[in-house]
Amino acid sequence: ICSSYALDTHDAKDRSRELQEFSFGKEREESETVSRAAANWTAYWRENAFLRCAFWLTCAVGLLLGLLLPFALWHGGTKGMMEASAAAVICLLPGLIALRITSYNTNSQQVFSAFLLSMGMRMSPPLVICLALSLRSTGEEYFSFICYLLLFYMVTLALETYLSVRLIQPKRKVCT
């Protein structure tokens, strides 16, 4: 009886050691997989200049919106907040499209056409919206929205132009 108990105890210890080694190996494999995925994402982030530039443009618009929302709430209530948010989205999306166009056409022969196309994409939505609002009424009821739109347009125009120029300069560090 004692010898069989000793064998059972020895077998149980061996099994627990095997399970621990297996689980530690599994944790190591999982951590290596996660670190490989993180390394791949980091390498992709470093290589893809458009993502970095889009991130900075989105952060700048988000920061401006965050600074502007308390004023919009005070000035116009929830309607003012909606106007400011709509103006941010209306200016951010064409800016991202313009950055994408510029990032595709970094070839020296296509840079000018890329800038013209991206300028048209960036300017069209705000201008069409302002035109539609001016045709709809005298503009007094939409004055705050137009001011928010112009503010966001100027900020995205300046930042997107800066980031686009950085995208086409091959020897400089892009959008860091």
Side-chain angles (χ1 to χ4, degrees):
I1 294 178
C2 289
S3 64
S4 69
Y5 175 74
L7 287 175
D8 288 341
T9 307
H10 182 67
D11 288 342
K13 287 180 182 178
D14 285 343
R15 282 189 209 128
S16 69
R17 249 189 247 120
E18 288 173 4
L19 285 174
Q20 283 179 344
E21 289 173 5
F22 177 73
S23 66
F24 286 137
K26 199 172 194 180
E27 288 175 6
R28 242 184 262 127
E29 287 175 10
E30 288 174 359
S31 68
E32 287 174 5
T33 304
V34 168
S35 63
R36 267 188 259 128
N40 289 342
W41 173 250
T42 305
Y44 181 73
W45 177 259
R46 285 184 184 149
E47 291 172 4
N48 198 338
F50 165 72
L51 280 181
R52 290 193 310 269
C53 293
F55 173 76
W56 288 117
L57 183 65
T58 305
C59 286
V61 170
L63 178 67
L64 180 62
L65 181 63
L67 293 173
L68 196 59
L69 279 179
F71 173 77
L73 179 64
W74 173 75
H75 186 268
T78 55
K79 181 183 176 213
M81 290 177 64
M82 294 297 290
E83 289 173 346
S85 300
V89 170
I90 288 169
C91 291
L92 177 64
L93 294 180
L96 292 175
I97 292 170
L99 275 176
R100 191 62 178 165
I101 291 170
T102 305
S103 71
Y104 274 140
N105 299 317
T106 56
N107 185 348
S108 62
Q109 296 177 5
Q110 296 176 343
V111 170
F112 185 68
S113 61
F115 270 124
L116 287 177
L117 183 60
S118 64
M119 181 181 65
M121 289 299 296
R122 185 185 337 114
M123 281 177 44
S124 296
L127 287 177
V128 167
I129 288 171
C130 284
L131 179 66
L133 291 177
S134 70
L135 292 176
R136 191 170 186 195
S137 68
T138 61
E140 291 176 18
E141 56 194 84
Y142 301 111
F143 182 71
S144 60
F145 174 71
I146 292 171
C147 288
Y148 295 138
L149 190 65
L150 288 175
L151 177 67
F152 279 105
Y153 179 74
M154 292 304 203
V155 169
T156 56
L157 172 68
L159 188 58
E160 190 268 327
T161 302
Y162 171 76
L163 293 173
S164 292
V165 169
R166 297 280 305 242
L167 276 172
I168 61 168
Q169 292 180 342
K171 294 182 182 178
R172 290 190 69 188
K173 211 173 186 182
V174 178
C175 299
T176 55

